[in-house]
Amino acid sequence: MAAEKPDKKEKPFFLSLPGWLKRSKSQAVSRPEKLDYKVFRWRGATYLAGFTWEEKPPGPLDTVAMHLEWRNSHITSSHHPGHDYFILMQMVAGQLGLHPDNPDWNGATRIVLVETTDEDNTLYWSAVFIDGIPVYEQELLTGDLDFLRSLVQQECNNTTIERLVAEQSFLEIIQPQNTQAIHIERYDSKWKLPDEAPLTLERRFLPSLLRKGTVLAALAALVLLTFGYWFRSEVEVFMQDFGLMEKPVEETDLYPYVLDWDQFGQACTEAQSRSWPAAPGWEESVRGCVGRGMGDSNFNLPFFNPRQGLAYRVYTRQDNHHAWLARKAAELTSRHWEGDVEFANDSLIIKHPIELGINPWQEREFHLSTLDDLSNRLFLGTASRVSLEGGRIRIVTRAGDRKVFELLGRIEDQSPFGLVEYTRNRGDASLTLAEPSVLSLVDPY
């Protein structure tokens, strides 16, 4: 770990890394040169990593240009990273549920992640949390596996960390001994965003003003008085370059997209036709599928990724089964399930992610009367109910999933539509059609 520093103002012992992990020189692991903060690829996305976490925010005269506060801890940067990336520490804590209010994470937790770059170089990121709060120390970025292994092994030997969260490949070269080892792969199917809003570095304009205010004010006044109105645009550029005025926000080009309903039908049908966990004491009440832009009454979710949706099944506990035993049976039968399993009162919700497709929206004229006529004609003989309700069309049918989506494909050939809800209860499929739900997205192609 980091070598001891001369005593300054004493920091809380449970957050100050030199005070938390004191070692004699004979015990210390030689640390290679650290890398400056950089982008780090994890779970298919890019984040910022390698910051030094501090107890106090930067002062008004500090020269740092960027600042972020999270859980009463602070990081800074002398320059803008060039893109508003999210911070890796927060995203990792969000996926693991690592929070100061969660007693499961009390004590010291070291996390190790691995990134393989485009050049097939391996980079390791590691950081320590104490009771859900970042340790006041620099996040470790290194390509030296031997150093990292020696450092972590020594922490395990000295019991200075309560738990180690890392990938299976890294845990296999460590002997945790009295330290709890947790495979981070166990969270792969439970990806979620942090409970707090994802954070990015924020620009600090005040230090630049204080350092350059006198000179720049004089220069600005001279320029304004000398050249006046005709050079106003050049003055604005000058002030922006020196931090006296924020540069205009660059507009992001957004493009309209809609979900590919043919692929949605295939993904939903395949997911529901697979073998789902079945536990004694539970009776299926409803099943369905949902994607971004839909308004399913069971899962009205604003999906972060427009290409990902959910297939789900909802079960109700039967009255003649003991609540605790029924829950334990469900936990046992679903322990290897590749998705989320949630309990809510006397209900059990099992989810499975599905991959969806999106298509560029081609402007097509929509008429509710046309959609109503097509729905009645094409579902004639297969539907027990087709009704127009508040600008939406409600269809109830005993037709199978493949037949339903075949009929929807025929409707789409003649009229655009949006699928608001698709569920199935005791054999009956219920679907709600409305005007197309157009997604405004940064062009993903």
Side-chain angles (χ1 to χ4, degrees):
M1 302 303 295
E4 294 188 44
K5 301 178 182 178
D7 291 336
K8 296 182 181 179
K9 183 177 180 181
E10 186 176 357
K11 295 180 179 179
F13 77 94
F14 56 88
L15 290 181
S16 178
L17 187 60
W20 167 59
L21 290 179
K22 289 184 177 179
R23 299 184 177 90
S24 66
K25 293 183 179 180
S26 61
Q27 294 175 312
V29 176
S30 177
R31 178 188 289 268
E33 181 180 356
K34 300 180 205 174
L35 304 174
D36 292 333
Y37 87 81
K38 67 179 292 291
V39 293
F40 190 93
R41 293 283 298 177
W42 183 61
R43 298 293 187 263
T46 301
Y47 305 102
L48 289 183
F51 292 97
T52 298
W53 292 84
E54 302 286 351
E55 178 185 6
K56 295 182 178 180
L61 297 180
D62 289 342
T63 59
V64 294
M66 310 297 294
H67 170 241
L68 179 142
E69 177 182 0
W70 178 56
R71 296 184 180 176
N72 295 322
S73 303
H74 303 267
I75 56 175
T76 59
S77 170
S78 60
H79 62 281
H80 193 283
H83 190 285
D84 287 335
Y85 296 110
F86 294 142
I87 304 302
L88 181 61
M89 285 280 276
Q90 187 203 19
M91 301 303 290
V92 172
Q95 181 179 6
L96 301 182
L98 202 162
H99 194 276
D101 296 333
N102 188 341
D104 293 340
W105 297 99
N106 286 346
T109 302
R110 176 171 286 282
I111 301 174
V112 178
L113 303 180
V114 182
E115 173 195 19
T116 301
T117 65
D118 295 336
E119 297 79 17
D120 292 331
N121 297 321
T122 301
L123 180 64
Y124 298 89
W125 173 89
S126 186
V128 176
F129 286 83
I130 298 289
D131 297 339
I133 300 176
V135 165
Y136 297 147
E137 169 66 0
Q138 184 176 14
E139 303 166 31
L140 179 61
L141 283 174
T142 180
D144 191 336
L145 176 59
D146 291 336
F147 156 73
L148 181 61
R149 177 175 54 195
S150 178
L151 169 68
V152 175
Q153 186 64 66
Q154 181 170 301
E155 292 177 345
C156 294
N157 294 344
N158 297 339
T159 64
T160 50
I161 57 175
E162 276 71 28
R163 63 193 62 83
L164 170 63
V165 183
E167 297 185 11
Q168 175 71 31
S169 59
F170 184 81
L171 293 179
E172 290 175 352
I173 64 174
I174 297 294
Q175 298 178 356
Q177 297 182 357
N178 296 325
T179 299
Q180 179 186 7
I182 301 175
H183 301 165
I184 201 168
E185 286 87 350
R186 66 190 284 185
Y187 298 93
D188 285 356
S189 62
K190 300 180 180 180
W191 167 258
K192 67 174 185 176
L193 292 175
D195 293 334
E196 313 103 332
L199 299 176
T200 59
L201 290 169
E202 298 179 355
R203 189 183 300 274
R204 300 176 71 242
F205 293 100
L206 182 58
S208 178
L209 280 172
L210 293 176
R211 293 195 315 271
K212 305 173 184 178
T214 303
V215 175
L216 294 182
L219 290 176
L222 178 62
V223 171
L224 289 173
L225 291 174
T226 304
F227 299 102
Y229 173 81
W230 300 107
F231 288 90
R232 182 174 60 183
S233 60
E234 284 77 2
V235 173
E236 290 178 350
V237 172
F238 174 84
M239 296 178 71
Q240 291 168 6
D241 290 341
F242 283 87
L244 291 175
M245 178 185 297
E246 294 189 23
K247 294 183 178 181
V249 177
E250 296 182 3
E251 295 185 2
T252 301
D253 292 331
L254 298 178
Y255 300 86
Y257 285 86
V258 291
L259 287 180
D260 184 336
W261 296 120
D262 180 59
Q263 185 171 339
F264 178 89
Q266 294 179 20
C268 180
T269 302
E270 292 174 2
Q272 293 293 356
S273 63
R274 64 177 295 164
S275 177
W276 288 62
W282 298 93
E283 181 181 12
E284 181 183 323
S285 58
V286 66
R287 66 175 63 177
C289 296
V290 62
R292 183 167 173 178
M294 296 177 64
D296 191 300
S297 58
N298 293 286
F299 298 95
N300 186 15
L301 301 177
F303 284 95
F304 189 73
N305 183 350
R307 295 178 178 271
Q308 186 172 16
L310 280 179
Y312 63 88
R313 293 188 181 184
V314 180
Y315 298 83
T316 303
R317 183 175 60 83
Q318 296 173 332
D319 293 336
N320 59 340
H321 282 75
H322 189 279
W324 183 81
L325 290 176
R327 175 164 181 155
K328 289 302 178 183
E331 291 175 350
L332 181 64
T333 57
S334 62
R335 65 189 185 280
H336 298 306
W337 180 246
E338 300 174 355
D340 289 339
V341 178
E342 298 179 2
F343 293 90
N345 297 325
D346 290 332
S347 295
L348 166 64
I349 305 173
I350 302 179
K351 309 174 188 176
H352 191 278
I354 57 177
E355 293 298 321
L356 304 180
I358 56 176
N359 294 323
W361 166 242
Q362 303 296 331
E363 189 67 39
R364 298 172 64 188
E365 192 171 354
F366 171 79
H367 296 288
L368 183 62
S369 58
T370 302
L371 183 60
D372 182 32
D373 180 66
L374 288 170
S375 300
N376 277 279
R377 285 196 292 110
L378 292 176
F379 278 91
L380 182 65
T382 64
S384 60
R385 172 186 172 191
V386 179
S387 58
L388 183 60
E389 303 174 1
R392 296 180 174 184
I393 299 170
R394 178 78 169 177
I395 303 172
V396 179
T397 176
R398 296 194 65 84
D401 290 339
R402 297 186 187 280
K403 181 62 176 179
V404 170
F405 285 107
E406 176 189 337
L407 294 174
L408 290 181
R410 295 171 62 183
I411 291 178
E412 189 173 28
D413 291 339
Q414 303 180 60
S415 170
F417 69 87
L419 182 59
V420 178
E421 179 180 1
Y422 187 75
T423 60
R424 188 173 289 276
N425 183 2
R426 302 183 186 279
D428 286 337
S430 299
L431 54 153
T432 303
L433 306 183
E435 62 180 312
S437 178
V438 181
L439 310 175
S440 296
L441 305 173
V442 177
D443 191 1
Y445 293 106

